Amino acid sequence: MSSLLPLPVLLPMLGAALSIVASRWATLQRVVGIVVLTAVAVTAAVLLVAADGQGPIVAELGGWPAPVGIALVADRLSALLLLVSTLVTLAVLGYAIDQRIVDYGRATASTTFHPMYLMLCAGVSLAYLTADLFTLFVAFELMLTASYVLITRRTGADRIRAGMTYVTVSLLSSLLFLTAVAMVYAATGTVNLADLAGRVGQLPAGLQTVLALMLLVVFGIKAAIVPLHFWLPDSYPNAPGPVAALFAGLLTKVSFYALLRTQTLVFPREEPWTLVLVLSAATMLVGVLGALAQNDLNRLLSFLLVSHIGFLLYGLAVFDAAGVSGATLYAAHHITVLATLFLVSGLITRRTGTVALDRMGGLLRTSPGLAILFAIPALTLAGVPPTAGFVAKLALLQAGAASGPAEQAVAGVVVVASLLTLYALVRVWVRVFWGEPVPPEPDTDPDDEVLVGTARTSVPMYAATAGLITVSLAIAVFAGPLAGMTERAGVDLLDRGPYRVAVLGEGR
Amino acid sequence: MTTVNLVMAATVGVLYGTGFTLLLSRSLMRVLIGVVVLGHGTNLLLQLAGGPPGRPPILGVVPPEEFTDPLPQALALTAIVITFALTTFLLALGYRSYVLVGHDEVQDDVEDRRIARQKAPSAPLEDGNGEEPS
C-alpha cells in the first residue's frame, strides 16, 4: 500500500513533463491532464479507505528511515483532503479545457497552462502527504511558483498589478517560512514533523510560543487570515475564471491544512487557543462585511472566501477532537463550494460581459440553468439545511457549544456571519438573475486571458460545474459516514500517537 | 547548548532589515532587490542553524564528532535554487510591467482608488477597477 503514496506527487509531475513535450498535440495534452488527475483521484480514494481501516500509511523515500530520510504519510486527514482537492482539480481542468476549446478552437495547444496546472496539483499533493517541515516548504514553492505563472500569463496592463501583489506577498511569506524552518532546526535539530512532536515539548515555554507564532504568521499569510488577508481580494478576482476557481478551492485550504497539522502535532494544547479564537471572529466578520461592500462579483466571492477561512480557524481555536474534526469537515466542504462558486461566476461573466453587479440583470430569462447552478452552491456556502455547509457548520457549532463561554460567544459570530453570507449571496442572486435582461457588454481587452462578454459557453463547462455541485451534494448525502471519519481523524490529530508511531516506528 | 556567532547574527539582522525596507518601496526593481537581500539573510540564517562550523562531513576524513552539520547546507542549497528561480521570474514580471505600463511602479489598489474618488469625485479612473468591466 505504501508504494501508492508517491503516485499523487509523481503522476502530475510526469504528466506536466509530458504536457510540455506534447505541446503541439492539443488533444494529447488534454487527455494526459484528465487521465493523470483521474489516476490521482483513484489513488487518493484507495489511500483514504486504507488509512481509515489500518491507520496512517507511510512511505520512506530512498529507503532512509525517518527522521533521517523524508517520509510521506497519508492519514485520514491528509487522504480525505487530497481526495476532495483532486476531485476539484479534475472538474476545474475539465472546465478550463472546454473554455479554451470555445475561445481558441480545438486545435490550439498551450505550452504553459497544462504543465503549470499539473505542477500545481503535484505541489498540493506533496503538501498534504509530506511529514517533513522543509519538504512542506518545497511543496508550497512548487504550488506557488506554478500559481505565479497561472495568474500572470497573458495579463493585460491593468491586471499586472494584481499579479505583482500576489507574487510579492507569497514570496515574503515563503521567506518567513524558511526563517521559521531555520529557527525550528536550530532549536531542535530536526525538521521531521513526528520527531519535532517529541522534541519541541522539551524546549522552554517561551521558545515554543515563538516557534508556534512564527508558523501561525507564515500560514496565516498564505491562508488569508485577517489581518494578513489583504492580498487575496486584490489578486484572485483578476485571475481567469478557472484559475481563480482553482486558487479559491485549493491554495488557502492547503495552507490551513499545514497550520492544522503543525499546530496539533508539534504544539499541542490542553486549552482552547484564545488568540486564534479572536482571529477567527475577526476573519469571519471582516470578510463578510467586506463582501457586502462589493459591486464586483469576483471580489465579493473573494471576501466571502476570506470570511469562511474564519470558520476553519474556529475549529482549530476550540482545539479539541470535536473542533478539529469540524474544521476538517468544513475544509472538505469549503474546497468544493468555493471552486464551484468561482466557476459559476466565470459562466455568469461570460454571459454578461461585466463583473459589476449593478450592470447585470435578467439572466433568469436568458439562462435559467445558471440560476440553479448559482443557487445550490450559494445556499451550501451559507449553510442552509440540508446542504453540506449546514452539516459542517453544525459540527463546528456543536464543538463550540461544548467548550468554554468565550467559544460559545464566538459561536454566535459564526451564526451571524452565516446569515450575512446568505444576505450577500441573495443580493447577488437578485441583482444578477432578476429584473430586465441586459445585453452582454463587449470584451474590453481581447488580448488577455480573462475573457468576458464573449457570451459563448458550452455544455461541458456547465457539466463540469454541475459535477462539482454533485461532489458537494455527495458530502451532504454521505455526511454520516464522513462525519464519523473526520471524528476519528480529529481524535488521531490530538492523540498524535498513531502518526508518530507510523513515521518513527515503535518506542520513540 | 551552542552559542551563536554574534557577527553572523548581526549580519542576518542587517540583511533582514534592508530586505524588508526595500520590500516596502513602490518600484518593482527595489522590491526585487529586497527579495534577493532577504533571501540571502534567510540562507545565512539556515547556515547559522547548523551550529558552529566544523570539518567536512561524509568524506570520512575526520571522526563524526568534528563534522559540521550537512543538513542545513542541503536545505540552504535547495532554498538558493528556489530563490534564484523566483528572482528571475520577478525580473521578467518587472520587465513585462515596464513594457505594458511604461514603468515598474506598483499602482494603487482598488480600494485606495475608490476612497480617493469618494474624496474627490471628479478624480479620473486610472484603469480597470472594481466597477469597470474586465
Side-chain angles (χ1 to χ4, degrees), chain A residues 134 141 148 152 154-155 159-161 164 168 171-172 178-179 182 185 234 293-294 296 299 355-356 359 452, chain B residues 16 20 23 31 42 45 49 69 71-72 75 79 82 86 89-90 96-97 107-109 111 130-131 133-134:
Chain A
F134 190 76
E141 286 313 297
Y148 300 155
T152 53
R154 295 182 64 127
T155 44
R159 293 179 187 280
I160 198 138
R161 178 193 57 79
M164 280 182 200
T168 315
L171 265 177
L172 176 65
L178 203 55
T179 311
Y185 187 79
D234 217 30
Q294 300 306 318
D296 174 332
R299 277 180 73 84
V355 287
R359 295 213 298 267
V452 290
Chain B
Y16 269 78
F20 279 121
L23 266 185
V31 170
T42 318
L45 185 73
D69 189 347
L71 186 70
L75 302 188
I82 292 173
L86 293 177
F89 182 79
L90 260 187
R96 178 96 155 272
S97 166
Q107 298 146 35
D108 286 341
D109 73 3
E111 305 294 343
E131 282 84 352
S134 33

Side-chain angles (χ1 to χ4, degrees), chain A residues 216-361:
Chain A
L216 177 65
V217 169
V218 168
F219 297 130
I221 298 176
K222 291 180 196 285
I225 295 169
V226 169
L228 305 169
H229 69 290
F230 51 88
W231 57 271
L232 191 146
D234 217 30
S235 54
Y236 280 18
N238 291 298
V243 173
L246 178 72
F247 287 11
L250 295 184
L251 299 188
T252 47
K253 258 63 69 184
V254 175
S255 311
F256 176 76
Y257 162 82
L259 183 66
L260 185 63
R261 174 69 78 195
T262 48
Q263 299 295 344
T264 52
L265 186 64
V266 184
F267 308 100
R269 289 161 192 276
E270 300 296 323
E271 299 283 304
W273 193 358
T274 317
L275 171 66
V276 170
L277 195 64
V278 173
L279 290 180
S280 86
T283 309
M284 283 186 258
L285 288 178
V286 169
V288 79
L289 293 178
L292 287 176
Q294 300 306 318
N295 185 39
D296 174 332
L297 177 56
N298 285 333
R299 277 180 73 84
L300 187 144
L301 290 179
S302 302
F303 270 105
L304 284 182
L305 164 64
V306 172
S307 169
H308 285 247
I309 295 292
F311 291 71
L312 297 170
L313 273 188
Y314 178 64
L316 176 63
V318 173
F319 227 96
D320 59 7
V324 173
S325 129
T328 310
L329 195 57
Y330 204 88
H333 139 74
H334 194 267
I335 292 172
T336 46
V337 74
L338 254 305
T340 318
L341 277 173
F342 271 92
L343 286 187
V344 178
S345 148
L347 289 172
I348 291 175
T349 48
R350 287 172 77 86
R351 283 267 170 196
T352 58
T354 174
V355 287
L357 290 172
D358 56 3
R359 295 213 298 267
M360 299 180 187

Side-chain angles (χ1 to χ4, degrees), chain A residues 19-68:
Chain A
S19 307
I20 296 177
V21 175
S23 57
R24 287 189 188 177
W25 299 285
T27 311
L28 179 62
Q29 235 183 10
R30 293 175 193 132
V31 170
V32 165
I34 296 288
V35 167
V36 159
L37 289 182
T38 311
V40 173
V42 171
T43 315
V46 172
L47 286 175
L48 179 60
V49 172
D52 194 32
Q54 62 193 44
I57 303 158
V58 180
E60 284 159 350
L61 300 186
W64 290 89
V68 178

